[in-house]
Amino acid sequence: MQDLFGDDAAGAPRRVTLGPGAVLLRARALPDERQLLAAIDEIVAAAPFRRMVTPGGFEMSVAMTNCGAAGWTTDRHGYRYTPLDPASGQPWPPLPGLFWSLARGAAADAGYHGFAADACLLNRYEPGTRLSLHQDRNERDFSQPIVSVSLGLPAMFLFGGNKRNDKTLRVPLRHGDIVVWGGPSRLFHHGVLALKDGDHPTLGRQRLNLTLRKAL
Ligand code: MD6
Ligand code: FE
């Protein structure tokens, strides 16, 4: 049994299969930590985190922003990718080369060769915030995987199946972990439980998540 649930033991696997086509690469982003955080600061200076509104009229608890050729947004009119940041009317900040290359490398490690991200959604969780079970299906090409980078406080990730009420696996995600999924699990439902309070050495009382996609 792989160590999905407990604390990292010495020699715990750095690569864990979560489901068909879905792989957790523990600590895969750690060598790039400092440059990632510097790039995030630049993005957020140009396109600040904001709480978006769902088509149903609810303000999301998780704050979001984007970089790349298109950014994921939601408002009263629906979920979609837009080339401009609706808050500024300007293009989203460019996708940093490091994001592109890290996503390409992690995808290749998981068996997806030639991944070329063109968009990145940044999520910011503060204690108590959560992301309810959803599918990522606003991208044009479901043959391409999504690469997800976790930074800051740990979170409990829920990884389900094609049906909303399929049983979910609980996966603790920690600073530096990368999850790659595509293929048969590309449209699996997933979510994040309410973030527990804590104080991360570099990020303080928050968790950041980057999801790199080929949206267009
Ligand atoms: C998060 N992640 O980890 C939320 N979506 O904060 C996602 O919603 C997600 O990790 C698609 C693919 C990978 C993900
Ligand atoms: Fe998602």
Side-chain angles (χ1 to χ4, degrees):
M1 181 69 192
Q2 287 169 315
D3 177 33
L4 264 184
F5 307 102
D7 291 329
D8 271 327
R14 291 171 68 84
R15 181 195 171 95
V16 182
T17 299
L18 301 180
V23 183
L24 163 59
L25 304 166
R26 282 221 172 89
R28 176 65 173 77
L30 277 189
D32 296 311
E33 171 189 14
R34 292 173 70 90
Q35 286 168 278
L36 280 171
L37 294 174
I40 292 167
D41 282 345
E42 260 195 69
I43 291 160
V44 172
F49 280 112
R50 80 291 306 264
R51 291 174 64 188
M52 299 181 187
V53 174
T54 66
F58 296 98
E59 191 171 84
M60 299 181 79
S61 67
V62 176
M64 299 178 172
T65 188
N66 292 275
C67 63
W72 187 86
T73 60
T74 175
D75 60 18
R76 286 284 192 168
H77 305 289
Y79 305 121
R80 62 199 179 280
Y81 281 93
T82 63
L84 304 181
D85 177 351
S88 66
Q90 295 298 118
W92 298 100
L95 189 80
L98 172 63
F99 285 22
W100 190 91
S101 57
L102 182 61
R104 192 177 188 83
D109 291 353
Y112 298 100
H113 296 278
F115 179 58
D118 58 15
C120 180
L121 171 65
L122 293 83
N123 293 154
R124 185 190 67 200
Y125 298 76
E126 292 177 322
T129 66
R130 59 188 288 273
L131 192 61
S132 56
L133 222 50
H134 67 275
Q135 294 170 292
D136 283 47
R137 54 178 190 195
N138 298 117
E139 301 74 25
R140 284 191 192 145
D141 182 0
F142 297 146
S143 79
Q144 294 303 303
I146 293 180
V147 174
S148 164
V149 181
S150 291
L151 296 167
L153 289 177
M156 191 62 81
F157 189 71
L158 301 177
F159 190 64
N162 276 319
K163 285 174 281 168
R164 194 182 164 78
N165 53 4
D166 280 342
K167 180 177 167 297
T168 57
L169 190 64
R170 290 181 167 219
V171 185
L173 294 182
R174 304 185 187 94
H175 183 70
D177 287 349
I178 294 187
V179 180
V180 181
W181 84 67
S185 55
R186 176 63 180 74
L187 292 173
F188 277 16
H189 289 76
H190 56 280
V192 179
L193 293 185
L195 194 76
K196 285 195 183 154
D197 203 354
D199 188 9
H200 187 269
T202 44
L203 279 161
R205 296 179 70 201
Q206 60 177 338
R207 169 177 184 259
L208 301 179
N209 173 256
L210 317 178
T211 42
L212 287 130
R213 302 116 188 282
K214 185 173 175 348
L216 302 179

